[in-house]
Amino acid sequence: MRVLVAGAGVAGLAAARGLVRAGHEVEVHERAPALRTVGGSVTLWSGSTGILRDLGVDLTGVGRRIDTMESWSSGGRPLVTVDIAAVARRYGTPNVHLPRQRLVERLADGLPEGTLRFGSACTRVDPERGGLAFVGGSTALGDVVVGADGRSSVVRDHLWGADPARLTEWVTWQGFIRRPFDLVSSHRAIMIVGREGLCGLIPAGEGLLLWWFDHRVDHREPPPASPAEALAERFGSWAAPVPEVLAAIDGIDRFTHHRHRVPKVWGRGRATLAGDAAHSMPPTMAQGANQALEDGWTLARELDGAGPVTERLRRYERIRSRHAARAADLAATEQTDRYRPPALMRLLPDRLVTAGYTAWLRRVSTYLSTTA
């Protein structure tokens, strides 16, 4: 089949790789003039690293394996540790954190010449004919159209009539630093929670440590003139290594949190959706990129199934909506950002939390539910 994909992000590139490997002709239309490599970093759980292996994507030399995920109090006291290495042993594939840029580059590497069409901004979709229209008046026809054009998806808005997502009361500030050195070279993810919000720290390889701060905001007020100073005022009294992190900030990005109910049907006719276009969710459970990869992998499998193309697309949506909705519903609670008394957190046995997290990762993964 001839498949038109709008958007060359994680979902669009994963779908393209899977579809090309299945023998389909694919065009990926991206409005940017080149690969969009900006952004922070992503945690890829075992399902996603398994998918990348199936798609022929080699992560050798990029990222950092994550073996533990630790929760601390703002006073620096360890509360709960999830044994991420045990998750990897259970599913047979590692859990890796890496810059988003590296993931996008590796997904795009090896696609046939002409697959990626940059500077090609979609303006309209024709779901019945399998068509896309672009800025400048050009059009393209295919057997299938995939809207993987992100949170502000043009394809989704044409199919659904509007963007269903709403802002939550949380915001993320993030960036990369190269210290504390013991964390940069570690295999540990640390989340420090207090009444003021959350600080997260996780190595991303290449000598980089991703830091992020989440806290509640009033969206009626403008962002601070100096985000770094505002973060230092809010979190500066926390225990080490937070003051060292705050002092090392050089460059900062701001991300608002969005959420919406994930519907069971994403498209109509010959058009469907993938990635954030279909299921925007807060980043609190580190599932955005993972669900995008799951979409691409599942779409390629279902398009090789039986029945008319439209039935295969609706089957893909039913399969993926179950798992994506579980991830989105939990992320929407912002539970990892919310303060809980340390005494209550210490009552949770590490082994029990690890078992629960291992099971939950399978529940939100089509890949693991199918193969593990």
Side-chain angles (χ1 to χ4, degrees):
M1 288 187 288
R2 176 177 166 83
V3 183
L4 307 178
V5 180
V10 174
L13 292 173
R17 285 195 75 102
L19 292 164
V20 166
R21 288 171 71 85
H24 302 293
E25 177 188 352
V26 183
E27 289 181 8
V28 181
H29 293 267
E30 168 57 47
R31 65 177 178 268
L35 277 179
R36 292 180 288 112
T37 56
V38 297
S41 50
V42 295
T43 301
L44 301 180
W45 305 110
S46 290
S48 290
T49 55
I51 286 171
L52 291 173
R53 180 187 61 193
D54 282 8
L55 295 179
V57 177
D58 184 6
L59 295 181
T60 302
V62 297
R64 194 79 179 166
R65 188 188 75 246
I66 302 302
D67 291 339
T68 63
M69 185 166 61
E70 305 169 22
S71 178
W72 294 7
S73 72
S74 58
R77 183 168 184 176
L79 302 174
V80 177
T81 297
V82 181
D83 185 357
I84 299 300
V87 176
R89 291 192 297 272
R90 166 64 181 84
Y91 296 125
T93 46
N95 302 281
V96 177
H97 190 83
L98 74 165
R100 180 187 178 278
Q101 175 180 351
R102 300 295 176 239
L103 175 60
V104 169
E105 290 170 345
R106 294 294 171 98
L107 282 168
D109 184 39
L111 285 174
E113 184 177 356
T115 300
L116 299 176
R117 312 290 179 93
F118 295 111
S120 184
C122 174
T123 60
R124 191 177 70 255
V125 60
D126 182 342
E128 304 309 321
R129 297 177 65 222
L132 286 176
F134 307 98
V135 171
S138 63
T139 61
L141 283 177
D143 298 293
V144 171
V145 170
V146 182
D149 46 344
R151 235 220 49 72
S152 301
S153 170
V154 171
V155 177
R156 178 206 56 224
D157 289 355
H158 275 81
L159 293 174
W160 293 6
D163 177 1
R166 297 293 179 267
L167 282 171
T168 80
E169 60 183 348
W170 292 86
V171 66
T172 294
W173 304 91
Q174 70 175 36
F176 291 112
I177 55 177
R178 295 186 177 274
R179 62 179 190 266
F181 300 116
D182 61 326
L183 292 181
V184 170
S185 59
S186 75
H187 299 281
R188 304 160 64 199
I190 297 174
M191 292 184 293
I192 308 167
V193 183
R195 297 183 186 277
E196 296 81 3
L198 173 141
C199 171
L201 304 168
I202 185 168
E206 304 176 45
L208 299 173
L209 181 77
L210 178 78
W211 61 264
W212 75 94
F213 289 94
D214 290 356
H215 63 82
R216 287 186 173 90
V217 294
D218 183 344
H219 290 291
R220 294 171 297 182
E221 299 179 357
S226 174
E229 291 181 6
L231 291 174
E233 182 177 350
R234 179 182 289 268
F235 295 98
S237 64
W238 283 19
V242 176
E244 183 178 355
V245 170
L246 290 166
I249 289 177
D250 180 18
I252 187 169
D253 292 317
R254 178 179 186 266
F255 298 95
T256 52
H257 294 197
H258 295 80
R259 66 183 179 193
H260 70 85
R261 286 281 186 183
V262 178
K264 294 181 180 179
V265 178
W266 298 351
R268 54 189 168 89
R270 295 176 175 270
T272 191
L273 301 174
D276 286 349
H279 41 68
S280 296
M281 64 187 75
T284 49
M285 299 304 295
Q287 279 292 320
N290 291 274
Q291 294 300 314
L293 290 169
E294 296 269 356
D295 290 347
W297 180 82
T298 306
L299 177 62
R301 283 170 56 94
E302 293 307 315
L303 279 183
D304 274 352
V309 169
T310 54
E311 290 183 9
R312 294 181 231 174
L313 292 176
R314 303 295 86 80
R315 187 165 60 238
Y316 149 75
E317 294 164 5
R318 289 194 300 272
I319 292 170
R320 284 298 304 132
S321 64
R322 290 196 300 269
H323 297 95
R326 290 167 185 159
D329 289 348
L330 189 57
T333 68
E334 307 274 5
Q335 70 159 5
T336 58
D337 283 340
R338 298 182 183 278
Y339 173 77
R340 294 176 178 82
L344 178 63
M345 293 291 291
R346 289 195 296 271
L347 294 176
L348 298 173
D350 291 351
R351 182 176 296 182
L352 179 62
V353 176
T354 297
Y357 201 75
T358 303
W360 183 78
L361 287 176
R362 187 175 188 273
R363 283 178 53 78
V364 299
S365 170
T366 305
Y367 177 87
L368 292 179
S369 297
T370 303
T371 63

